[in-house]
Structure formats: structure tokens, C-alpha cells
Amino acid sequence: MRYYYAEHQAAYERLEREGLTQWNDLFEDDRTDDFDAFPNRSFLEHALPQLPESADVLEYGCGTGAAACFLAARGFRVDAIDLIPEAITLARRFARQRGVTVNFSVQDVCAMPAGSKQYDVIVDSYCLQSIVTDPTAPTSSPPYATA
């Protein structure tokens, strides 16, 4: 299993350096710089009525934690993981600023042990497309995350 680790690490370092709040801020010309305007928010708002109250949620590829904070603020118990330590550092800070409790950790979703905790809801925040299962595929992409 291979990842675009260096590119993602550089992106989160750039977010921190530029005072941005989420991944999309790096790529959208019309960005709002609004932590609460994260890409999968409308889907989660639509799905919330169908979710069990105070469900256990796992968000993998959580990045800076916008979706995790959104769910925690609505009473869900949230574990959120990302492979990149810089992302988790930012996510913890944003959660503290919002007064929500999320169990953030640096973890590889592909290395979660069998028999791990069971969840009522699992949210993929644009993580799977960054996992390369073809061992012949290149592990670097254009330097989109450099300033």
C-alpha cells in the first residue's frame, strides 16, 4: 500500500503557514475560508435525520476535522483519524476552538486491526482516492501543495 504522503504533509504544512482551515482552501479560487463550509456538509445534513442519536462515528481521512467537529457538535461520539500528523494537530486545535470533543488520532485506515471498535456510521472524507494499491504506480503527484 502506498500513499501520496509527502504531498499531503506539505499541503497541511501550507495550511498552517497560510492560516487556512481546510484542504479545499488550497485549491479553490472562490474559497470562503470558512471551516464550517466543508465539502461533504450538505450530504451529512441530509443524512443526519437517518442516523441514530448519539451514534458512534468514525471519520477517516479527517484532515483538519471539519466534518468531525460538525458531527460532534450535534451529539455524535466521533473518532477521527488521518495519516498526516500535521492534519491531526490542526484538527485538535479547531475542535478546541469550537468546544467540541473528538477523539483525533494519527492512524492509517488500511492498518486498523481486525476486530477494531464497531461504529454506527463511517465517513470517508475524500481519503480513498489517495490510497494507491498498484505497486507500479508512481507515489508522487504534481507539486500542488507547495507555496
Side-chain angles (χ1 to χ4, degrees), residues 15 43 51 57 64 70 91 93:
L15 282 169
F43 168 78
L51 302 179
V57 177
T64 59
F70 172 84
R93 184 175 75 210

Side-chain angles (χ1 to χ4, degrees), residues 2-147:
R2 294 162 37 171
Y3 305 94
Y4 295 104
Y5 188 94
E7 291 85 352
H8 286 87
Q9 182 179 25
Y12 288 109
E13 289 171 352
R14 182 175 161 206
L15 282 169
E16 171 72 17
R17 195 172 52 250
E18 295 181 18
L20 304 172
T21 63
Q22 58 181 306
W23 183 266
N24 284 4
D25 291 348
L26 296 172
F27 309 104
E28 295 179 358
D29 293 332
D30 62 344
R31 69 180 192 238
T32 63
D33 293 328
D34 181 359
F35 183 78
D36 296 314
F38 56 94
N40 54 357
R41 181 181 176 133
S42 63
F43 168 78
L44 291 175
E45 287 174 334
H46 177 74
L48 282 176
Q50 275 124 100
L51 302 179
E53 286 188 31
S54 66
D56 288 316
V57 177
L58 170 65
E59 180 189 17
Y60 62 90
C62 69
T64 59
C69 290
F70 172 84
L71 292 165
R74 283 149 183 83
F76 295 95
R77 292 180 302 274
V78 183
D79 292 339
I81 65 173
D82 201 288
L83 186 63
I84 309 299
E86 290 81 0
I88 294 300
T89 297
L90 290 167
R92 286 178 176 145
R93 184 175 75 210
F94 293 134
R96 272 192 313 275
Q97 289 172 348
R98 284 154 182 78
V100 296
T101 301
V102 177
N103 180 30
F104 288 108
S105 63
V106 175
Q107 188 170 352
D108 180 349
V109 68
C110 295
M112 291 180 76
S116 295
K117 180 178 174 179
Q118 298 277 322
Y119 292 93
D120 301 305
V121 179
I122 298 177
V123 177
D124 172 4
S125 289
Y126 306 95
C127 175
L128 291 182
Q129 75 270 13
S130 296
I131 300 171
V132 180
T133 57
D134 178 357
T136 65
T139 56
S140 64
S141 58
Y144 57 80
T146 58

